[in-house]
Amino acid sequence: MTTPPPIAMLAELTHRCPLSCPYCSNSLELQDKAGEMTTDQWADVFRQAADLGVLQLHLSGGEPASRPDLVDLVTAAHEAGLYTNLITSGVGLTPRRLDALEAAGMDHVQLSLQGTNAALADRIGGYKGGFNRKMLIAQEIKARGIPLTLNAVMHRQNLDDLDRTIEMAVELGARRLEVACVQFHGWALKNRAQLLPTREQTEMVKRTVAAARTRLRGVMAFDFVPPDYYADYPKACMGGWGSAGLNVIPDGTVLPCHAAESIPYLTFEKVTERSLRDIWYDSAAFNAYRGTDWMPDPCATCERKEVDFGGCRCQAMTLAGNAGATDPVCVKSPDHDKVVALLEEVDAADAEADFTYRVPAG
Amino acid sequence: MSDPLNLKDADVPRLPRGVRLAPDRVRGGTVLLAPEKAVRLDDIGVAILGRVDGAASFGDVVSGLARDYNAPEDQIRTDVQKFLTSLRGRIYLELA
């Protein structure tokens, strides 16, 4: 099998964030400021990424605006020839900073949305005033004509607001709306009872997105990540392990996906110690689940093996206790009964319990 | 069947801010870079978008390509319409 070059890189510039969303995709072991790579180190990683074939760079966090050198980082990414996307909550951005980011070559903003009103959004984000600050910066983005995607992270607590979420995205001039139902890794796993949607919500979100996609064609495009516990077949996670994308976390550790550190028997290497190219092509972690040779049955003989690539390795780790197993979401998985049992617990679960918000390590 | 996003001859298509053609210096060829997506273009896609400059009308694009390729305009119009309409659906193309 020939390994293709990566197309996209997610750069977790920092784990610092004013919000503390209970489904944060950062690792449970949040890194501190002292361990973050410097401006020059990141700039070097961006150049290595472009040389390796990366076309799309997602500057994320934590909150990337927590980095005082964000404008310099965007300049470096732009000069490396990368399409530069800023993934932000909006908190920490100002009109002046937006001007500087635009001038530095930022191509696009993906703004997260925790809820459609201050009470809901600030409860989920764990940050009072966050929603109003986000709306102010959203207006500034719109006024400048910066291409905008709204990323609505959806779950049991806010799915009933989906219609209003879609309306808001149109009002804010978003070209794309991601209806991203929470995936259960890391922090989200600690809050699964409060976040896992009901079956009714799952059916509703599929219907609503399909109808809105038709109604708003040519106005706003949709990206939809359905709640996969209810699916018959797993998602094609990352388009296949080590196939299209990679993720660099604040200290320079390079991961095949943001949750990969949940697989305890893999060792992930740092770009401060080995080149990005060598890590992508030659490291044991990136090769662990590449292609189809690693697959157990039922995947190995399944006609869908190059459709969904056996699903999500981290979800197999979480639900089956083995990252090399078929994703238990799949109806053909010998562990599928574990997902069925989880869903039966949902209705009985205490969805009103307090969240376990993300907190710094130590 | 007619699609509401089909272009009329006088419409002037252009790439919106945040969508651009770029050479792919590692894999070769040309890609269309758009928000969070990179679309690999074949030679026909490159030829069509090479004429989408925010000044030429849809009709100009079609007649120019028909001349370049010495092909019937009706055939070219169908192909260009299909391609540009699909780009409009993804907001990778707008009208000036």
Side-chain angles (χ1 to χ4, degrees), chain A residues 197-218:
Chain A
T198 63
R199 189 172 295 278
E200 291 72 26
Q201 285 179 318
T202 301
E203 292 308 313
M204 176 278 293
V205 66
K206 288 196 274 192
R207 277 196 312 272
T208 303
V209 169
R213 198 179 280 226
T214 304
R215 188 175 73 247
L216 294 169
R217 186 166 160 268

Side-chain angles (χ1 to χ4, degrees), chain A residues 218-298:
Chain A
V219 176
M220 189 169 75
F222 285 77
D223 272 286
F224 180 38
V225 181
D228 67 349
Y229 279 24
Y230 289 95
D232 288 340
Y233 297 111
K235 59 182 176 284
C237 196
M238 300 299 290
W241 180 273
S243 158
L246 71 174
N247 181 19
V248 183
I249 63 176
D251 71 354
T253 303
V254 186
L255 307 175
C257 76
H258 62 74
E261 284 174 299
S262 64
I263 303 173
Y265 37 83
L266 293 181
T267 303
F268 300 103
E269 299 181 65
K270 285 195 170 85
V271 70
T272 50
E273 292 161 9
R274 198 177 179 196
S275 74
L276 199 63
R277 177 180 299 274
D278 284 355
I279 294 173
W280 174 258
Y281 285 108
D282 298 331
S283 69
F286 271 83
N287 282 312
Y289 303 110
R290 262 194 179 125
T292 54
D293 289 349
W294 63 272
M295 288 181 177
D297 273 326

Side-chain angles (χ1 to χ4, degrees), chain A residues 45-63:
Chain A
V45 175
F46 299 159
R47 286 188 293 269
Q48 287 191 51
D51 288 344
L52 191 53
V54 168
L55 299 169
Q56 292 272 344
L57 175 66
H58 309 296
L59 297 176
S60 183
E63 172 50 61

Side-chain angles (χ1 to χ4, degrees), chain A residues 276-339:
Chain A
L276 199 63
R277 177 180 299 274
D278 284 355
I279 294 173
W280 174 258
Y281 285 108
D282 298 331
S283 69
F286 271 83
N287 282 312
Y289 303 110
R290 262 194 179 125
T292 54
D293 289 349
W294 63 272
M295 288 181 177
D297 273 326
C299 297
T301 53
C302 181
E303 72 282 1
R304 293 178 55 86
K305 71 176 173 183
E306 295 192 50
V307 175
D308 54 36
F309 311 103
C312 171
R313 298 304 86 230
C314 304
Q315 190 145 279
M317 186 72 231
T318 298
L319 297 177
N322 172 13
T326 298
D327 188 332
V329 159
C330 183
V331 289
K332 297 181 181 180
S333 160
D335 300 295
H336 186 64
D337 58 326
K338 297 187 171 84
V339 177

Side-chain angles (χ1 to χ4, degrees), chain B residues 66-87:
Chain B
R67 262 198 316 278
D68 284 359
Y69 289 87
N70 195 21
E73 268 200 31
D74 283 353
Q75 174 63 47
I76 297 280
R77 178 176 279 101
T78 306
D79 292 348
V80 176
Q81 184 67 271
K82 190 176 166 198
F83 180 63
L84 294 184
T85 299
S86 80
L87 294 184

